[in-house]
């Protein structure tokens, strides 16, 4: 099982140069991948392209770009450009986003999210595979009067979805290459996420999907203090219905209960639990919660686990 980390942070503003240096550190520690969230600040595919080009050998991805406020033609261009720039090491993550950010930020009604996700993926796949599309749906249109293919964007960019609900998992299994669940613990993965998306992929005649589990975690000697910081940092997810359900399915009372916090033995054991639950990849988030010393300690362990 491969292991990666997220480099983007909503609490720490980093320059591109600093991000590149962190990515080099992650690669040198033995980590397999670096992932970037999409906020209202940097453009995550562009940042992934820069980092991937500057740091050979490191897989890079976005987790995840909301489909509201975007168009498949533009996302395809971004993704293919990143794929060409990195020599085939880019992974595109998409998300439904939230009602609050969609309607407040873009002024777009948050309506029919599952329908939009289905149409978005249906239009996007041929764009990434062939550089052409002729899609006319209820919610969007995507056609190519001339080629949308980017030279060097091979292999085809893999598409993953931050899906956790039954309908989103079904669409993702049918049309995407995998999922990016966050705050879905081992119980939720084994009982809900993995069976649902795998069954949908099989019914659609697609390969077994990737399950890239995003997990907040820190290796530390001060577990109580870090868990308090995690409770504050993750509290916002407890107000979002999709995350509320994932937390509940995981057998947890709050988001911070799903943070993996403790010494090396404790964290390694939790990583194994995610693998046993069906995760094909684990990506640790929030590793900077208790400062640089614990972040480096966390990356050291994760690199060792990633190497085998």
């Amino acid at each position: 099982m491969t292991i990666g980390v997220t480099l983007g942070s909503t609490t720490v503003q980093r320059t591109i140069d600093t991000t590149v240096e962190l990515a080099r550190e992650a690669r040198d520690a033995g980590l397999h991948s670096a992932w970037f969230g999409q906020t209202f600040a940097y453009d995550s595919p562009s940042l992934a392209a820069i980092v991937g080009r500057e740091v050979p050998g490191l897989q890079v991805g976005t987790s995840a770009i909301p489909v509201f406020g975007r168009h498949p033609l533009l996302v395809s261009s971004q993704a293919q450009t990143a794929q060409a720039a990195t020599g085939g090491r880019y992974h595109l993550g998409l998300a439904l986003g939230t009602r609050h950010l969609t309607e407040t930020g873009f002024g777009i009604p948050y309506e029919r999210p599952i329908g939009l996700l289905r149409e978005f993926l249906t239009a996007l796949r041929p764009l990434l595979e062939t550089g052409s599309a002729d899609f006319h749906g209820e919610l969007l249109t995507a056609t190519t009067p001339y080629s949308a293919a980017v030279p060097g964007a091979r292999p085809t960019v893999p598409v993953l979805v931050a899906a956790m609900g039954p309908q989103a998992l079904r669409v993702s299994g049918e049309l995407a290459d995998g999922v990016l669940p966050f705050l879905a613990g081992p119980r939720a993965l084994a009982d809900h996420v993995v069976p649902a998306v795998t069954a949908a992929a099989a019914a659609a005649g697609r390969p077994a999907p990737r399950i890239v589990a995003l997990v907040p975690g820190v290796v530390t000697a001060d577990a109580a203090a870090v868990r308090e910081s995690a409770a504050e940092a993750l509290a916002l997810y407890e107000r979002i219905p999709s995350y509320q359900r994932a937390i509940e399915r995981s057998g947890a009372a709050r988001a911070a209960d799903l943070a993996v916090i403790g010494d090396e033995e404790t964290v390694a054991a939790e990583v194994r639990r995610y693998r046993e639950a069906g995760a094909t990849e684990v990506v640790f988030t929030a590793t900077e919660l208790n400062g640089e010393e614990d972040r480096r300690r966390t990356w050291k362990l994760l690199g060792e686990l990633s190497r085998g």
Side-chain angles (χ1 to χ4, degrees):
M1 181 178 67
T2 60
I3 299 176
V5 291
T6 59
L7 295 186
S9 172
T10 57
T11 59
V12 179
Q13 297 297 316
R14 300 190 180 105
T15 66
I16 289 176
D17 287 344
T18 299
T19 303
V20 169
E21 288 305 312
L22 276 174
R24 288 197 181 101
E25 183 181 337
R27 178 200 59 190
D28 293 345
L31 290 160
H32 178 260
S33 61
W35 295 76
F36 306 90
Q38 180 62 60
T39 66
F40 292 123
Y42 59 70
D43 178 71
S44 57
S46 298
L47 185 57
I50 293 167
V51 169
R53 194 164 182 83
E54 291 288 324
V55 188
L58 186 69
Q59 301 287 316
V60 291
T62 57
S63 177
I65 300 172
V67 293
F68 281 95
R70 273 80 178 183
H71 190 279
L73 282 167
L74 299 180
V75 171
S76 171
S77 294
Q78 291 178 299
Q80 289 190 72
T81 300
Q83 184 74 323
T86 60
R89 289 177 283 118
Y90 176 70
H91 307 255
L92 172 63
L94 299 175
L96 294 175
T98 68
R99 179 180 300 277
H100 172 70
L101 292 179
T102 298
E103 296 186 348
T104 302
F106 292 106
I108 299 172
Y110 190 80
E111 298 174 349
R112 300 181 61 186
I114 300 299
L116 178 61
L117 176 64
R118 179 176 290 279
E119 292 195 8
F120 200 103
L121 289 170
T122 301
L124 180 64
R125 295 228 53 116
L127 287 166
L128 296 175
E129 293 168 358
T130 68
S132 63
D134 187 17
F135 179 80
H136 302 266
E138 293 183 58
L139 303 174
L140 62 85
T141 295
T143 64
T144 45
Y146 49 85
S147 177
V150 174
R154 286 291 176 264
T156 300
V157 177
V159 180
L160 304 107
V161 180
M164 291 181 292
Q167 294 183 77
L169 288 168
R170 186 180 308 115
V171 172
S172 301
E174 293 172 6
L175 297 170
D177 299 300
V179 291
L180 292 156
F182 176 53
L183 294 179
R187 182 191 299 182
L189 285 183
D191 295 346
H192 174 64
V193 173
V194 174
V197 72
T198 301
R206 294 186 56 80
R210 292 167 57 188
I211 312 294
V212 184
L214 275 74
V215 182
V218 181
V219 177
T220 182
D222 193 357
V226 178
R227 193 162 295 281
E228 185 175 334
S229 297
E232 183 177 347
L234 299 172
L236 67 96
Y237 294 101
E238 297 165 4
R239 299 191 293 272
I240 301 172
S242 59
Y243 289 105
Q244 290 173 346
R245 290 188 289 270
I247 293 166
E248 182 179 346
R249 288 189 181 108
S250 300
R254 57 178 189 164
D257 295 338
L258 296 170
V260 178
I261 298 168
D263 61 15
E264 282 80 359
E265 183 178 352
T266 298
V267 172
E270 287 300 304
V271 170
R272 286 193 292 271
R273 288 188 65 217
Y274 276 91
R275 178 181 61 200
E276 292 163 359
T280 59
E281 302 154 65
V282 169
V283 175
F284 262 53
T285 74
T287 58
E288 75 284 348
L289 268 178
N290 204 43
E292 288 295 284
E293 183 177 347
D294 277 354
R295 178 190 63 75
R296 293 191 181 97
R297 184 177 172 185
T298 306
W299 287 19
K300 180 177 183 293
L301 171 68
L302 296 176
E304 291 169 353
L305 296 174
S306 186
R307 287 192 294 264

